[in-house]
Amino acid sequence: VADAEKSIADKDFVAAVAALKKAKEIDKSHPKLGPLLRKASAEADTQATLEEARKALKDGNLDDALRKLSEVKDKSDSAFSAEADADYKSALTKFVADKLAEAKTAQAAGDAAKAQAAVTAILEHDHGNQEAGQIQAALGGAPAPTPVANADAGAAPAAAVDAGAVAADTTAP
């Protein structure tokens, strides 16, 4: 267990899991075993996701990298959250710059579909990006709306209004 605690302190969660599994074979009743094994296993999974994200970055798959980095950075209790957040910000900056250049090039070439696809990709990760919104407006589309925190809550009132309108229509002479 002491070896596992040292591995955890060193952010070597794979080694910590291995040490804890070995300790479990020796003494299943150790009071720290369960909590440490759960923590180390979760962190090993998070570390693997971060490594996958970094590989995606290296391979130039920024969209996939951003999804994975977002997943890790949102785990505020993870030892890797701050690293993932820094990587996410850096990757997002590059992603947006690349997609803006792609959108502008496509727009200049008259390829509205390709420009729109690039703008949509930006707005999926950077909802309030003004430059992407301006390009989208120039393409004839409205800037993407800001996502609603609870999409179901936004849909319920609209359904109620529609139901009221239907009821009003059926009572009209």
Side-chain angles (χ1 to χ4, degrees), residues 9 22 34 36 42 47 49 66 68 72 90 104 112-113 119 122 129-130 132 141 143 145-146 151 161 167 173:
K22 189 173 182 178
L36 284 176
Q47 186 174 17
T49 302
L66 286 170
K68 290 176 187 295
V72 174
S90 175
K104 290 175 185 177
V119 166
I122 293 167
N129 187 288
Q130 290 180 341
T146 304
V161 169

Side-chain angles (χ1 to χ4, degrees), residues 99-108 111-147:
K99 289 296 180 183
L100 282 173
E102 183 180 320
K104 290 175 185 177
T105 300
Q107 186 180 24
D111 189 346
K114 187 173 182 176
Q116 183 61 51
V119 166
T120 299
I122 293 167
L123 294 173
E124 285 176 4
H125 295 288
D126 187 2
H127 308 293
N129 187 288
Q130 290 180 341
E131 196 169 356
Q134 290 169 349
I135 293 170
Q136 188 170 37
L139 291 169
T146 304

Side-chain angles (χ1 to χ4, degrees), residues 31-44:
K32 291 183 176 181
L33 195 59
L36 284 176
L37 187 55
R38 283 188 293 279
K39 176 185 169 97
S41 294
E43 287 290 2

Side-chain angles (χ1 to χ4, degrees), residues 30-116:
H30 194 287
K32 291 183 176 181
L33 195 59
L36 284 176
L37 187 55
R38 283 188 293 279
K39 176 185 169 97
S41 294
E43 287 290 2
D45 291 345
T46 301
Q47 186 174 17
T49 302
L50 181 59
E51 289 171 5
E52 290 170 9
R54 288 178 172 160
K55 183 182 181 322
L57 279 173
K58 185 178 178 182
D59 293 345
N61 188 347
L62 292 173
D63 196 40
D64 188 40
L66 286 170
R67 275 193 290 283
K68 290 176 187 295
L69 288 169
S70 180
E71 180 183 328
V72 174
K73 79 179 183 68
D74 290 345
K75 294 180 180 181
S76 59
D77 60 338
S78 172
F80 300 103
S81 179
E83 287 178 52
D85 188 49
D87 288 354
Y88 180 87
K89 289 175 182 171
S90 175
L92 182 62
T93 299
K94 179 168 178 22
F95 179 80
V96 168
D98 289 353
K99 289 296 180 183
L100 282 173
E102 183 180 320
K104 290 175 185 177
T105 300
Q107 186 180 24
D111 189 346
K114 187 173 182 176
Q116 183 61 51

